[in-house]
Amino acid sequence: MRVAVAGCCHGELDKIYETLALAERRGPGQIDLLLCCGDFQAVRNEADLRCMAVPAKYRHMQTFYRYYSGEKKAPVLTIFIGGNHEASNHLQELPYGGWVAPNIYYLGLAGVVKYRGVRIGGISGIFKSHDYRKGHFECPPYTPATIRSIYHVRNIEVYKLKQGGDCFRLICFRSFLSFLSPLKLKQPMDIFLSHDWPRSIYHYGNKKQLLKTKSFFRQEVENNTLGSPAASELLEHLKPAYWFSAHLHVKFAALMQHQVIEIEHDPSAPDYLEYDIEWLTILRATNDLINVTGRLWNMPENNGLHTRWDYTATEEAMNEVLEKLNHDLKVPCNFSVTAACYDPSKPQTQVQLVHRINPQTTEFCAQLGITDINVRLQKAKEEQQLCGEYEEQDDVESNNSGEDPSEYNTDTSALSSINPDEIMLDEEEEDEDSLVSAHSDMNTPSVEPSSDQASDFSGSFSDVRILPGSMAVSSDDTLGSPLGREGKPGEAVDSGDGKDLPEVTLKRLSDEHEPEPRKKIKRRNQAIYAAVDDDDAA
């Protein structure tokens, strides 16, 4: 099966599908599947544009609306996750995933599906520590704070994904990593998508070439603070055969440079999209954990405080779900238009922004017996208003949430150096995503795959971690990787330079001194958003 992978799409569907057609003409055959790693921008109309966290001058309709209206149809099955520049109100209608247009499927806040026997998972958004432990409290109309916090990854989604079984897999971090780890086989993940990079992944490819291309990454790479610790936690747990990310607008591969890959699939499997039974079972089991408030909370742990902390899918529970679905796992082609589509001949600058309930989500929740997050949100708002206690959710300050700075790391997905490939926000829209502190937080959790340095993986995750011995750091000067070096945990692995890399125990660092903070800077994305005003060019 030929699979094409796109990074940040930015609504340019026409160009993407034209590129795929060209690849098919030049390649050995047709492309069976397109995977998009965020910033998809499923913009239907002018109201959706206002829900995209970019300055007004960068809000362009692009071409998705033509696929939403039925004017065009995606020529290849397209699966995508959300990034940090999305029509958030549209994607919010489908928290568990669904069709945003015929043949274009959104994986939801987090999700797992199957196509031709290939198991595909993903998580939407980017990591920000100050919102990580909050519920999904945002809803239209958004405030200047919630229009950004809505795309921040939450711990509940990571928790659900980690209920899936570990497995024995050969990891090819497409764009990043390869290693071998022997664990029990249980529902292996073939492909996983995230928008921001997993923390520390830059150590497993040609880091020298990366820094030559993107010199402004150097400080974060050297301090090991670039990327998402939540994604790193998932990478270590799920061990998918392939992992794809975007966000930073740079190609970085441990094995290959091209974007169309061959994936082994089950020739007897159906050629339509299917639900994943293990993921559905986990969704049903964790339904009571749904939180639609802005209050901080932690996931259940085996610490004596929770009656249940293990939500892994048992065979009995999966059979129960199969019974509820009448043993039919086919994703129904039930796309429906829920908002007026953009009409170039009749611009509507004052389209009303409405918090909608999507019939796809209603049908899915009813069939599985789970709660629609949007219904819960609306009910909570109505109850609060009746009691006279409702306050706008932006009162929950995103950057002043009362978290312990020694336990929860600061912003990790934002770059602390000038990045010409990021969107620069206007002065009046500045917040944690537009102004980024350039100092290095020595308490920021990370995984440093080095034998002479121990660092905290993540204060909000495990305190002590064993780095698999086979996760050797490749040379800065080559694209070499430990692929094929079948080291076992606890064994030293030849790093290629004549030295052995022993097993590393990662412990929490304490009593570290923070360096002097440097000047705060802005970011821009002039490569994707074509025109930049003269006053911004400076």
Side-chain angles (χ1 to χ4, degrees):
M1 181 170 69
R2 300 190 76 209
V3 179
V5 182
C8 300
C9 300
H10 294 287
E12 298 278 12
L13 286 187
D14 282 355
K15 292 182 179 179
I16 290 173
Y17 292 134
E18 288 169 5
T19 302
L20 294 188
L22 178 61
E24 288 181 337
R25 291 195 295 270
R26 293 179 175 177
Q30 73 173 26
I31 293 172
D32 303 285
L33 178 66
L34 170 64
L35 302 176
C36 301
C37 301
D39 284 0
F40 188 81
Q41 297 180 5
V43 177
R44 303 165 296 185
N45 52 40
E46 293 88 343
D48 288 358
L49 277 179
R50 300 201 305 272
C51 295
M52 202 164 67
V54 297
K57 61 187 173 184
Y58 294 130
R59 291 173 182 159
H60 305 304
M61 193 60 62
Q62 302 297 9
T63 57
F64 169 80
Y65 74 91
R66 295 172 178 166
Y67 299 85
Y68 182 77
S69 68
E71 175 187 344
K72 292 187 175 183
K73 182 178 179 180
V76 59
L77 175 61
T78 301
I79 299 175
F80 75 97
I81 57 168
N84 59 315
H85 301 304
E86 302 288 1
S88 296
N89 62 317
H90 185 190
L91 299 189
Q92 186 171 3
E93 295 179 16
L94 301 165
Y96 302 112
W99 303 102
V100 297
N103 222 26
I104 302 178
Y105 191 83
Y106 169 53
L107 274 179
L109 295 168
V112 184
V113 294
K114 284 185 177 180
Y115 181 64
R116 300 179 71 178
V118 177
R119 198 168 188 235
I120 303 165
I123 187 167
S124 295
I126 62 173
F127 181 88
K128 295 286 183 178
S129 63
H130 50 254
D131 288 325
Y132 183 66
R133 293 194 296 132
K134 295 178 182 177
H136 293 292
F137 64 90
E138 303 89 346
C139 67
Y142 303 115
T143 68
T146 59
I147 198 174
R148 290 170 174 79
S149 65
I150 189 172
Y151 57 72
H152 294 162
V153 171
R154 306 298 157 89
N155 57 356
I156 179 66
E157 311 307 334
V158 175
Y159 185 78
K160 290 175 184 177
L161 286 165
K162 288 186 64 180
Q163 301 308 305
D166 296 332
C167 53
F168 176 93
R169 300 292 290 181
L170 177 65
I171 307 302
C172 298
F173 193 99
R174 187 64 62 176
S175 297
F176 310 116
L177 167 71
S178 58
F179 65 85
L180 190 68
S181 180
L183 292 169
K184 62 181 180 179
L185 178 64
K186 182 182 178 183
Q187 297 282 332
M189 188 75 70
D190 297 300
I191 300 173
F192 197 84
L193 310 177
S194 69
H195 188 59
D196 46 358
W197 295 17
R199 176 77 57 82
S200 302
I201 210 63
Y202 30 81
H203 294 296
Y204 296 95
N206 191 340
K207 185 168 60 178
K208 183 176 181 179
Q209 180 60 41
L210 172 66
L211 295 179
K212 182 178 179 181
T213 305
K214 301 284 186 179
S215 59
F216 36 81
F217 290 174
R218 181 171 297 278
Q219 180 181 345
E220 285 71 31
V221 169
E222 290 178 350
N223 294 332
N224 208 38
T225 57
L226 179 65
S228 166
S232 291
E233 184 87 349
L234 287 174
L235 173 61
E236 180 181 346
H237 181 84
L238 296 174
K239 296 178 172 59
Y242 295 90
W243 184 298
F244 302 98
S245 295
H247 193 43
L248 300 185
H249 294 264
V250 59
K251 285 185 179 180
F252 180 62
L255 297 176
M256 292 184 177
Q257 296 293 336
H258 56 73
Q259 287 180 315
V260 177
I261 59 176
E262 294 286 344
I263 298 287
E264 290 188 8
H265 69 284
D266 181 358
S268 63
D271 60 354
Y272 50 76
L273 202 61
E274 295 181 285
Y275 291 123
D276 181 82
I277 185 60
E278 184 182 21
W279 176 247
L280 295 186
T281 305
I282 292 169
L283 283 182
R284 189 163 182 254
T286 56
N287 185 59
D288 290 339
L289 298 180
I290 289 177
N291 176 14
V292 294
T293 74
R295 295 189 297 270
L296 303 178
W297 68 315
N298 293 319
M299 292 296 100
E301 298 180 59
N302 185 9
N303 55 10
L305 300 178
H306 304 95
T307 57
R308 183 178 182 183
W309 58 88
D310 184 357
Y311 292 86
T312 54
T314 64
E315 184 176 354
E316 180 182 4
M318 287 191 285
N319 285 332
E320 289 180 4
V321 173
L322 279 174
E323 289 291 333
K324 290 185 70 67
L325 300 180
N326 295 320
H327 294 266
D328 182 10
L329 292 175
K330 180 180 180 180
V331 176
C333 296
N334 56 351
F335 165 73
S336 61
V337 173
T338 57
C341 191
Y342 170 70
D343 184 348
S345 65
K346 300 177 182 179
Q348 303 289 328
T349 58
Q350 300 298 324
V351 177
Q352 185 179 6
L353 185 57
V354 179
H355 183 199
R356 291 184 171 87
I357 303 298
N358 193 297
Q360 287 187 72
T361 304
T362 301
E363 180 181 342
F364 177 81
C365 291
Q367 193 172 20
L368 197 59
I370 61 175
T371 303
D372 184 344
I373 294 175
N374 291 297
V375 171
R376 178 75 63 84
L377 267 172
Q378 290 189 357
K379 184 178 180 180
K381 181 183 291 188
E382 291 170 359
E383 291 175 350
Q384 290 169 339
Q385 287 173 331
L386 287 174
C387 296
E389 300 173 352
Y390 179 71
E391 296 179 1
E392 292 295 335
Q393 291 288 359
D394 59 317
D395 289 340
V396 182
E397 293 292 339
S398 290
N399 52 6
N400 186 23
S401 57
E403 296 171 72
D404 181 355
S406 66
E407 185 176 2
Y408 300 102
N409 53 319
T410 56
D411 291 350
T412 56
S413 62
L415 304 181
S416 66
S417 305
I418 296 177
N419 181 358
D421 291 332
E422 284 294 323
I423 299 170
M424 183 174 72
L425 300 181
D426 292 331
E427 290 288 342
E428 65 271 16
E429 298 184 357
E430 290 174 355
D431 71 340
E432 76 273 9
D433 286 312
S434 58
L435 282 180
V436 182
S437 174
H439 77 82
S440 169
D441 183 355
M442 294 303 290
N443 284 325
T444 300
S446 61
V447 174
E448 173 61 58
S450 169
S451 60
D452 58 357
Q453 179 180 353
S455 61
D456 182 13
F457 177 74
S458 175
S460 59
F461 303 119
S462 304
D463 289 338
V464 179
R465 297 212 159 265
I466 304 300
L467 189 66
S470 56
M471 292 178 67
V473 182
S474 61
S475 168
D476 284 348
D477 300 310
T478 69
L479 283 174
S481 69
L483 180 62
R485 303 170 190 165
E486 300 185 7
K488 299 179 180 179
E491 291 183 355
V493 179
D494 183 6
S495 64
D497 57 0
K499 299 179 181 179
D500 288 339
L501 294 179
E503 178 183 0
V504 180
T505 301
L506 302 178
K507 300 181 179 179
R508 181 186 299 277
L509 291 180
S510 59
D511 301 325
E512 295 282 2
H513 299 286
E514 292 188 4
E516 290 295 325
R518 298 194 322 199
K519 185 179 179 181
K520 293 183 177 181
I521 49 83
K522 294 182 178 179
R523 310 178 275 153
R524 75 175 69 194
N525 187 336
Q526 52 195 166
I528 297 300
Y529 293 87
V532 177
D533 294 343
D534 292 338
D535 58 341
D536 291 325

